[in-house]
Amino acid sequence: MTDSKEIIRAVHNRGFVSKLTSMVSLPYRRTKERQIVRRNGIWTVRFTAMGDELPYGKYPRLFEAYVATKVITGDPDWNGEDRVLRLGKGWDDFLVMVGLGSPNKRGGRQREIMSRQMLLWLKTAYTIEADTDEGESGVAFTVGDAWHIDWSVDCNADEHPDVEGNWICLTERYIEKIIRDNPVPVDLTVLANIGRSPIAMDIYLWLNRRMSYLHESQIVTWRQLYAQFGSDAKEMKKFKQNFKRALSTVMEKWPSLKVTVSDERGVTLFPSPTLIPTVARTRAMEKQERLRRVHDSRNGKTKAADPEDMGHEQTFDGNSSWVFTTTKLFDVNKAREHRDGLIPMDQCPYCLFDERNKPQHGEGAMLTETTLF
């Protein structure tokens, strides 16, 4: 089936998921447990079923990617003031909106699974706790505040203007802590293509965030991976098999990914370029292009100016980090000091050279505060 690939076709290839989703995982299969616990570094996350059971499988992951992308990109279907995302007037309308086509191509069983998983996801409660030397802090919330979903009406909005539209109202905490807190850019096509394996989806999301700031090799043990991802497999041996199989699926879609696996030690990550540039890098590249156009127009040029006239983006440490600089100014050791915040901003040659370097100053130090982040 191609439903996983199509469910997010309504949004562009570049999408977003939450930082939390790239750290811990919902169940892969149906479970009798009404609460599961995931751990990552100093963080403990509890998912609690407020409905009949916990959501599981690929659909909750795809729903979140769809919703997060709609919110972050300011899609017309999203009303930020009321925190409401419109889903259309009926099942047919919703399927077309998310790229699944006509319901006639989808059996009743498929509709039942998707509808149920969406409602279970909306009713899921999150409890996030951080335990540090300075004490414990935490927050708790559900995904949805309110919703109206009636998939029994399959109609065209113009033919049935009296039918109330379907919508979901997300909680303020969910938007603040999940969607807007350092979202992770992802390639939605890749996410959809590996949708047959929920654990492969989770591995892909995790590695996207890790590779966005990793600047040296790092080992993640099997025990750490088990605590973070959880598993339907009770034995570590089975978990390793499932993880390695899913990792191979991810690597097929991400050829530049550099990862090695040891049955004894765990997984070693090496700096690798992400398939989708980070938000900061994209904004910097867009601004650089605008500056080049201004420079060209002022000088009457018909083609791009020499990048050294105004600087250029320079990647380093396996393309996992970057600064806006000139060839003469660039020094990899100074660039690392800038990224890791080892030199004050008012003395940093890159922050003094160009304002767009300031948001990345000290980013490496902030992002590596825990073992698995």
Side-chain angles (χ1 to χ4, degrees):
M1 295 190 301
T2 59
D3 52 314
S4 295
K5 186 182 299 182
E6 293 168 345
I7 195 169
I8 50 182
R9 191 169 287 170
V11 293
H12 296 298
N13 201 48
R14 178 195 177 99
F16 298 89
V17 295
S18 71
K19 175 182 176 182
L20 185 75
T21 300
S22 69
M23 291 168 50
V24 293
S25 308
L26 283 166
Y28 301 124
R29 295 184 177 84
R30 193 171 193 172
T31 176
K32 295 180 180 179
E33 301 293 332
R34 295 189 59 80
Q35 183 182 91
I36 60 171
V37 180
R38 300 288 188 254
R39 293 183 173 83
N40 186 320
I42 64 171
W43 302 95
T44 299
V45 180
R46 289 177 172 82
F47 296 107
T48 305
M50 306 304 288
D52 295 336
E53 60 185 350
L54 284 166
Y56 58 91
K58 61 187 177 184
Y59 287 120
R61 291 158 170 84
L62 292 172
F63 289 147
E64 197 214 90
Y66 169 76
V67 169
T69 302
K70 286 278 191 178
V71 172
I72 292 170
T73 59
D75 189 272
D77 290 321
W78 168 247
N79 183 330
E81 185 174 340
D82 297 328
R83 308 191 311 279
V84 171
L85 179 64
R86 295 190 299 271
L87 302 178
K89 289 195 172 184
W91 182 247
D92 188 19
D93 201 6
F94 174 69
L95 291 179
V96 171
M97 184 177 69
V98 299
L100 282 171
S102 170
N104 296 327
K105 298 179 181 179
R106 303 286 165 183
R109 178 61 176 164
Q110 193 73 9
R111 175 196 298 210
E112 179 183 343
I113 293 173
M114 289 182 62
S115 301
R116 180 172 176 77
Q117 289 302 315
M118 173 176 280
L119 290 172
L120 291 175
W121 174 64
L122 288 170
K123 299 174 186 177
T124 301
Y126 292 62
T127 304
I128 307 171
E129 300 169 276
D131 189 5
T132 67
D133 294 337
E134 299 176 354
E136 183 178 305
S137 59
V139 62
F141 51 86
T142 54
V143 175
D145 243 350
W147 53 84
H148 175 81
I149 299 176
D150 181 9
W151 299 136
S152 64
V153 181
D154 291 323
C155 62
N156 181 282
D158 295 330
E159 295 175 359
H160 301 271
D162 57 323
V163 177
E164 183 178 1
N166 293 287
W167 50 267
I168 58 176
C169 176
L170 301 172
T171 64
E172 188 172 354
R173 287 286 191 183
Y174 181 80
I175 296 171
E176 175 190 353
K177 298 295 183 182
I178 302 300
I179 294 182
R180 295 202 182 278
D181 182 18
N182 295 316
V184 180
V186 297
D187 188 316
L188 292 175
T189 301
V190 172
L191 186 64
N193 285 338
I194 59 178
R196 289 179 177 272
S197 170
I199 188 172
M201 297 171 76
D202 288 342
I203 292 171
Y204 171 69
L205 300 179
W206 169 61
L207 288 173
N208 258 272
R209 190 172 59 83
R210 291 301 300 272
M211 294 305 174
S212 70
Y213 63 83
L214 190 70
H215 57 272
E216 60 183 18
S217 63
Q218 190 169 37
I219 296 176
V220 186
T221 69
W222 287 115
R223 186 177 296 277
Q224 289 172 320
L225 291 169
Y226 190 92
Q228 175 181 345
F229 289 92
S231 177
D232 297 319
K234 301 300 181 182
E235 297 180 356
M236 179 61 76
K237 180 179 180 180
K238 183 63 175 177
F239 170 73
K240 290 181 181 180
Q241 293 174 348
N242 293 342
F243 189 94
K244 287 188 287 186
R245 186 182 306 114
L247 179 60
S248 296
T249 299
V250 173
M251 295 181 76
E252 288 176 5
K253 302 297 181 181
W254 189 347
S256 60
L257 180 63
K258 301 173 185 177
V259 178
T260 60
V261 180
S262 166
D263 281 335
E264 292 74 31
R265 303 180 68 188
V267 177
T268 302
L269 310 180
F270 299 89
S272 306
T274 56
L275 298 176
I276 296 292
T278 62
V279 175
R281 288 187 63 193
T282 300
R283 288 175 179 170
M285 288 186 287
E286 290 172 347
K287 185 177 180 181
Q288 179 183 350
E289 183 59 30
R290 289 196 297 271
L291 287 172
R292 285 181 178 177
R293 291 197 206 101
V294 172
H295 185 279
D296 292 348
S297 64
R298 287 176 178 174
N299 290 275
K301 296 183 179 181
T302 58
K303 58 182 180 180
D306 184 347
E308 283 306 306
D309 289 343
M310 61 184 64
H312 63 278
E313 182 186 273
Q314 175 67 54
T315 58
F316 60 97
D317 285 343
N319 293 334
S320 63
S321 301
W322 65 276
V323 290
F324 193 78
T325 182
T326 65
T327 301
K328 184 176 180 180
L329 177 64
F330 180 70
D331 176 273
V332 68
N333 292 323
K334 290 293 184 183
R336 288 169 178 163
E337 290 178 355
H338 156 76
R339 177 197 59 202
D340 297 335
L342 300 178
I343 183 173
M345 186 179 292
D346 60 359
Q347 299 176 26
C348 175
Y350 301 108
C351 292
L352 293 173
F353 171 69
D354 196 284
E355 289 285 330
R356 76 194 77 181
N357 287 318
K358 290 184 177 180
Q360 280 66 250
H361 187 86
E363 184 180 50
M366 290 186 290
L367 290 171
T368 55
E369 62 184 9
T370 62
T371 307
L372 288 177
F373 275 23

